[in-house]
Structure formats: structure tokens, C-alpha cells
Amino acid sequence: MTEVTPDKKDGGGESPPSSPPPASPPDNGWRKEYWSRNLRLMIILLAIWFIVSFGFGVLLVEPLNEIVIAGFPLGFWFAQQGSIYVFVILILVYAKMMDRLDSQFGVDEQETEGAAS
Amino acid sequence: MSQIQLWTLLFIGASFAVYLSIAWRSRVKETAGFYVAGQGIPTIANGAAVAADWMSAASFISMAGLIAFLGSDGSIYLMGWTGGYVLLALLIAPYLRKWGKFTVPEFVGDRYSELVRTVAAVAAVIISFTYVVGQMRGGGIVFSRFLGLDVTGGVVVAAVIIGLYAVLGGMKGITWTQVAQYSVLIVAYLIPAVAVAQQMTGIPIPQVSFGQILDELNAISLELGMAQFTDAFAARPQIDVFLVTMSLMIGTAGLPHVIVRFYTTKSVRGARYSAFWALLFIALLYTTAPAVGAFTKLNLLQGVNGASTDALPAWVDNWAATGLVTVGDGVTTIGSVSNNPASGADLIVNNDILVLASPEIAGLPAPIVGLVAAGGLAAAMSTAAGLLLVISSSFSHDLYFRRVKRDSTDKQRLLAGRIAMGLAVLISIYAGINPPAFVAQVVAFAFGLAAASFFPVIVLGIFWKRCNSAGAAAGMITGMVFTATYMIYTLPVFGTEANPHILDISPEGIGAIGAIVNFIVTIVVSKMTAPPRDEIAEMVENIRYPSERRAVAAASTTENS
């Protein structure tokens, strides 16, 4: 959990104090909403990232190795194969969800590339 | 033997011709093209370029061999080097792309201060340089075996060619060359892996079929004096496996030559998808590597188990000539195998040869052996070129332009960058000939330093507006000094005495703790000093949103973003 903690704690709650310049624009509401949804998505995905790699692949590897599937002890499989597949899926899910979030809030870029499959 | 050399020359010659012609055709003169390819690289191509940039000689040449001998604990490299992309994609890439300039030190310079920029530029040069040495060494090993040159000659040839197209082409040339290099290296990796999988299990998908041989491999490993292949924590204690994996992940996300790649996409969205494509392309190799390690190890052990020394397979002799395989003195039959020269085993096999020798060990035809050699070189060269670019841009942009000559022209800066690149090539030739440790290890040090310096200040810079320059400078310096000190304390390679590990933490794993130290120092010092100026808070606010909000009915004024 080392490096995600500070952003979780501090990222969410500090935006109001630092932006009091005179005519505080009326669009601050959507900004906070967008950012906190982004952070929530990020934290969920990072939790899965941690559980699959450090949880299944390091901390629980020995008990999981008792289960053998297709010749692979399960902990060994998570450490050497499974976690990598999950990482790829996590990034794809993140990119897709952020696309949705961006267009919901009208901050998606106009010149999109369409290279996204 | 000479047939192998012929095919090797053919494949290496053909692939080099392709790289050089791409570099020549896309050579550029203006600064933006040189450093960030005019920010017009399509997402999939950028993903392939990141993958090639990222997968170095260590991934291609050393990793499967390391995993073969580390067994289950080899997963530190697999999870560490891929898991970092999740951090990169979620925490760093989209934001730095939104902010979008030329170098990583430039981000910290704008976010914090000129002092922090200089610290970051020096760190970027040190990290990239440590890493480039591994690539020169990797190239040298390929040449020394397949072209009959000594390692010195091999390193020189590889360095001259890398230097040539990196200096000519800049980022644009490098990007398209790296797409070609990715293609070469992945084909070269997969063909023999699929062939060996088919030959040994009847199923041509190595990721799936290597499960079938694990029992057999466990048994023969025990017989030849090694730990069971699938036993966890046989090579490293659990805490160290945890920390090394964490260090490699954080380090990956903090490596300047990888981060800078995300500046080359067209949009923030492009940066997110680039990260996806990059990891997908990387995963192709990284899920194959443990299978290659397992198959090759089983093949190797079965080939030599109980064999008398005058009836050993041909590959033993071929590689013995390079000094990377040795048969113990006075040994008549092989009863034990190890990768550690100090173990006194009957047969010592260097990790670095396993992938290159895999087709020979499996008895595959000569063209495949040649193809693998070309792939190994592609991996070494593409990474080295990306690193040289970081060295050059950090030097010319963040040190020369910012510190020495503020009014320098584009032309002068390009020249300064090219001179820095040339110097880096020369020094790395020397270091590649006299490497401080073996290939993958050298790279691990670069990661530890990257983890302990860049990652925390970049992430805090994006996610914590209160973070200020005093905090960042203090954090980076303590993180790096702490990490480097522990490495020097525990490793003999810097000419110092090797001291025992504290709390089972290896020098490869110390980067994770260095990063925590950096986080804590940055936070504490930031809290104790004045908050950053309003413009900084504004800048941080802006990089959090991919673009201006589209004219929605309610939104009246958008001038603040």
C-alpha cells in the first residue's frame, strides 16, 4: 500500500482552500465531481492491482500453491502469468471508463484518434 | 556452426538496414521533432515503441535465464516490470501528457523550482546512463557469440550504430525504428518459444503448455542440486520478494525514458491507450518468458544430466568458447548444475545465455538461432537509443539551456544534445566492456534509483497541490542518497566491501523503501514550509482535466482554465 496512500488522502479533500482567487468561477462544482470520480476509479483499480500481485503472487502464494490447475500451482500461476493478464485488463478498463467520464463531463478531446479498437 | 553464423549475419544485416533507412527517412531538424516527434504518433505505434524502448537486453536476453534459475521467485521481474505500467497509466501518463513539454525534469521544474529541475536532470542522466551500460553489454554478448568477435569489438559495433541513428533521427526516427524493432524482437522471441512448446508438449502455446512440464522440472532440479522450480521463496525471503517487486514497479513508473514516451501521443486519451497497447505488447513477451525459462531449463538439464564430459551436447562447446558456460575441473560426469560460479557445481551456466542458446539447446534449425540473435540486438538497441535521447534532452534542455545559456538558439541546443549523446556513447562503450555486474542487475539499480527519486515527487506533484519545492528537493535528495548508500553498502561492485543485508532486504529491493523515505520527507518538509504560489495550484488543477470543458449551456466563463 506504500505509495498510493498519500494521494488517496490528500488528493480528494484539498482543492477548495487553494483556489480562492476573487471571482471563483461557477464551474468548480463539476471539477470536484469529475476529480473525485476519477480518484474513486483509480483507487478501486489500484486495490485490484495490489490484491492480484502482492496478495495472490507474494503474500498468499504458498497456500494458493496447494491448488494445482493444468499443472500450475495457483500461486505460482498468479505470480508468473495471471497478474500480468489482470494488469493489461486494468489499464484497458481505466482507459474505457475515463472515456466515458470525459464525455459525461464534456472534457473529452475533440481530435480523438479512434485508435482505441 | 558456420551455418549459424551465416544466418545470424543475414538477419542482423537485414534488420539493421531497415532500422537505418527508417531513421534516415525520418530525420528531423527542429527541436520538437527531435524530442517528442511533433506529438503526432498514432496510439498503437506509440504503444509498440514504448514496448521496444522498454524491453531491453535485460528483458530479452537475461530475464528468462534469471527466471529459469530463480524458479518461482523470478516473478519479481515479471510482476515488477509489468505492474509498474498500471501505476504509470493511472497515476502519471495522462497528467504529464496534458501538461505536455519535452522532458521529465521540465515537469518538476515548472511544478516546483529550478533547483528541483537540476536535481531531476542530474538524476535522469545518472539513471539512464546506468541503464544504457546494460544494453551495451547485452549487444556485446550477442556479437561475441555469433559473429566471432570478442566482447569489446561487439560493444563498439553496437554502440556506433545506435549512436548514428539516435543522433540523426531524434525521437521521430527512434519511434518508427522502435516499431520495427518491436516487430523483430517479438517475432524472434515467439517463434522459438512456440517451436519448443510444440516439440515438448504438443501444444504450441507456451503460456498454457509449460504447466505440463513443471512436475518433471521440479524432480530433475532436485536431482541436480537445485530447489524445486515452483517453490516460492527458495531464492529470496518473502519480504525481499515483496520489496523487489514493489521497487521494480515504482521504478518502471518513474523511469524518465518511459515517461517521456507519453509526451509523443496526440492527446491525453492517446496517452491512456498508449499505456494499454504498450503493456499488451510487453505482456506478449513477459508471459512467454517464464515458459521459455522452464522449457529451456528442462531441456538443458535433461541434455546434461549424468552425461560424461566428453559426450556433452554441441551447444556446451559453442558457448564454452565465450566463457559463459564452464565445466568444472576434473569433472567426468555432470551431477550438478548451477548459474553461480562459486557453487562448485559440475556445470556452470550463465543466466545471460539461456534465451540466445535456447534454440540450439532444443536442436532447432540455424535460421531460428540467427533470428534470435537479431531480436536480442533489436532489444538492446531500441532501449539504448531511447536512453541516449533522455540523456541528450536532459542535458541540452534542462542543464545547458536552463543553466548555462538562456538565449541559446534551437540549433545550439540540438548541437549540445548531440554532443551529450556522443559523449554518453563513448563512456558507455567503456562501461559496457567493463560492466559492474551482470546485465539484469545493473538495470535493477537504475530502477531502485528511479523509484526513490522521480516517482514520489511526480505523483505528489499531480495529486497534492500543497506539495512545494523545498519538500520535493529534500525528498528526492534523501531518497536517492538513502538508496544509493544502501546499494554501496551491500554490493561489492562499486569497489567497496559487501556487507550483509539488513532485515533480509536486498539492494534490488531497497528502492521501495527509498521511495517511502522520499514520500515522507517530501510531505513533512512541504508541511513545514510555505505553500506553493497560486499559479502552481492553477497548473496542477489544469493537468487534471483532459481538455477545456465544451461549451455546455450552464458554463458561462471558462477563461480560468
Side-chain angles (χ1 to χ4, degrees):
Chain A
M1 289 312 340
T2 55
E3 81 295 336
V4 287
T5 334
D7 12 310
K8 257 194 284 186
K9 270 216 296 276
D10 303 306
E14 49 43 71
S15 58
S18 57
S19 51
S24 164
D27 56 0
N28 254 347
W30 74 265
R31 289 187 164 226
K32 269 173 76 178
E33 174 71 12
Y34 174 91
W35 187 242
S36 69
R37 293 235 265 182
N38 177 359
L39 290 179
R40 200 180 318 146
L41 173 65
M42 200 182 85
I43 289 162
I44 293 169
L45 295 178
L46 285 179
I48 299 172
W49 164 83
F50 187 87
I51 292 167
V52 172
S53 52
F54 294 97
F56 296 163
V58 181
L59 299 174
L60 300 174
V61 68
E62 281 166 328
L64 285 174
N65 274 349
E66 302 298 313
I67 308 162
V68 177
I69 298 169
F72 290 104
L74 197 57
F76 174 85
W77 183 81
F78 265 108
Q80 300 219 327
Q81 304 270 294
S83 56
I84 302 179
Y85 301 133
V86 176
F87 296 154
V88 176
I89 295 166
L90 286 177
I91 299 182
L92 183 64
V93 168
Y94 174 73
K96 293 269 178 214
M97 300 281 276
M98 287 307 286
D99 276 356
R100 266 201 1 221
L101 193 63
D102 286 353
S103 64
Q104 245 173 35
F105 282 82
V107 293
D108 48 332
E109 294 139 304
Q110 298 303 296
E111 17 70 285
T112 42
E113 298 169 55
S117 81
Chain B
M1 176 56 196
S2 68
Q3 222 206 339
I4 287 180
Q5 279 194 337
L6 189 74
W7 282 104
T8 307
L9 272 172
L10 198 76
F11 276 113
I12 291 178
S15 55
F16 275 27
V18 172
Y19 309 149
L20 286 172
S21 73
I22 294 174
W24 178 253
R25 280 217 314 254
S26 51
R27 70 194 182 282
V28 288
K29 292 184 182 68
E30 73 288 7
T31 321
F34 193 78
Y35 294 127
V36 290
Q39 299 183 330
I41 302 293
T43 311
I44 299 184
N46 201 55
V50 176
D53 206 334
W54 162 251
M55 287 192 288
S56 59
S59 295
F60 191 99
I61 298 176
S62 301
M63 193 173 65
L66 275 169
I67 296 168
F69 285 103
L70 283 171
S72 177
D73 294 344
S75 60
I76 52 178
Y77 297 109
L78 297 165
M79 284 196 292
W81 283 339
T82 53
Y85 274 84
V86 179
L87 297 176
L88 194 58
L90 271 55
L91 299 175
I92 294 179
Y95 306 107
L96 290 202
R97 174 63 193 84
K98 173 66 198 301
W99 172 83
K101 296 243 178 101
F102 292 152
T103 66
V104 175
E106 203 161 30
F107 170 76
V108 288
D110 285 9
R111 171 68 179 79
Y112 301 113
S113 71
E114 287 301 306
L115 171 70
V116 184
R117 177 205 296 271
T118 306
V119 174
V122 171
V125 171
I126 294 174
I127 290 165
S128 302
F129 188 75
T130 321
Y131 205 127
V132 95
V133 171
Q135 313 310 315
M136 295 298 178
R137 182 71 186 165
I141 289 175
V142 176
F143 278 118
S144 83
R145 164 64 183 86
F146 293 106
L147 299 184
L149 293 168
D150 56 3
V151 176
T152 311
V155 168
V156 172
V157 173
V160 166
I161 292 166
I162 294 164
L164 201 67
Y165 78 67
V167 169
L168 283 180
M171 188 59 111
K172 201 169 172 197
I174 285 179
T175 301
W176 290 109
T177 313
Q178 283 175 334
V179 173
Q181 283 164 333
Y182 175 77
S183 316
V184 171
L185 80 86
I186 198 68
V187 167
Y189 208 84
L190 291 182
I191 286 182
V194 166
V196 173
Q198 170 72 30
Q199 189 190 62
M200 292 179 73
T201 64
I203 302 168
I205 306 167
Q207 284 87 340
V208 175
S209 60
F210 86 101
Q212 295 182 13
I213 61 148
L214 291 174
D215 277 341
E216 215 177 327
L217 183 53
N218 278 340
I220 198 169
S221 296
L222 280 182
E223 208 175 311
L224 285 166
M226 287 170 280
Q228 290 210 58
F229 192 75
T230 58
D231 274 358
F233 317 125
R236 288 168 179 275
Q238 187 165 20
I239 177 161
D240 197 40
V241 170
F242 189 98
L243 287 174
V244 174
T245 307
M246 186 64 91
S247 298
L248 295 179
M249 284 183 181
I250 301 175
T252 294
L255 276 184
H257 76 286
V258 178
I259 294 177
V260 78
R261 276 272 155 220
F262 294 96
Y263 292 175
T264 59
T265 56
K266 281 180 185 154
S267 60
V268 173
R269 182 170 180 269
R272 294 185 197 132
Y273 280 98
S274 273
F276 163 70
W277 287 113
L279 186 59
L280 184 70
F281 288 137
I282 291 167
L284 263 180
L285 191 146
Y286 273 58
T287 54
T288 310
V292 170
F295 283 131
T296 309
K297 190 177 181 191
L298 182 61
N299 252 334
L300 187 159
L301 296 182
Q302 282 176 339
V304 299
N305 188 13
S308 80
T309 39
D310 35 272
L312 287 172
W315 64 265
V316 176
D317 272 349
N318 291 342
W319 283 94
T322 64
L324 297 172
V325 169
T326 40
V327 180
D329 284 337
V331 173
T332 49
T333 49
I334 304 294
S336 58
V337 178
S338 173
N339 62 334
N340 178 6
S343 65
D346 298 341
L347 182 71
I348 310 288
V349 179
N350 188 303
N351 299 323
D352 290 351
I353 70 154
L354 225 62
V355 168
L356 295 171
S358 161
E360 276 177 285
I361 294 173
L364 297 177
I368 294 186
V369 180
L371 183 64
V372 172
L377 275 181
M381 289 177 49
S382 58
T383 305
L387 291 164
L388 288 174
L389 204 74
V390 168
I391 294 174
S392 136
S393 60
S394 297
F395 182 81
S396 78
H397 210 80
D398 299 305
L399 296 174
Y400 175 72
F401 169 54
R402 294 282 167 173
R403 284 289 182 214
V404 182
K405 200 162 185 253
R406 284 309 290 248
D407 59 346
S408 54
T409 61
D410 250 22
K411 222 174 160 185
Q412 286 172 318
R413 270 182 267 165
L414 267 184
L415 182 67
R418 286 179 167 149
I419 291 171
M421 230 183 223
L423 278 179
V425 171
L426 290 180
I427 306 171
S428 61
I429 290 176
Y430 173 79
I433 295 167
N434 309 291
F438 43 98
V439 174
Q441 264 191 1
V442 172
V443 171
F445 303 145
F447 280 84
L449 293 176
S453 57
F454 282 115
F455 184 79
V457 295
I458 293 174
V459 168
L460 287 175
I462 295 165
F463 291 90
W464 193 41
K465 286 181 188 158
R466 180 66 179 73
C467 188
N468 66 17
S469 59
M476 277 178 83
I477 293 169
T478 26
M480 278 192 90
V481 168
F482 171 85
T483 306
T485 307
Y486 189 79
M487 285 177 175
I488 293 168
Y489 175 77
T490 46
L491 288 165
V493 289
F494 295 101
T496 53
E497 212 176 309
N499 290 293
H501 299 171
I502 298 168
L503 297 173
D504 284 340
I505 300 165
S506 66
E508 292 93 339
I510 196 67
I513 303 197
I516 297 171
V517 169
N518 185 337
F519 267 117
I520 294 171
V521 171
T522 308
I523 291 170
V524 169
V525 174
S526 291
K527 282 279 189 194
M528 289 186 330
T529 46
R533 299 190 312 275
D534 284 350
E535 305 98 84
I536 302 281
E538 193 87 332
M539 168 200 162
V540 177
E541 179 71 17
N542 279 335
I543 61 173
R544 294 180 176 183
Y545 314 97
S547 73
E548 306 246 335
R549 196 174 196 201
R550 255 181 293 124
V552 188
S556 48
T557 47
T558 38
E559 40 78 39
N560 89 312
S561 40

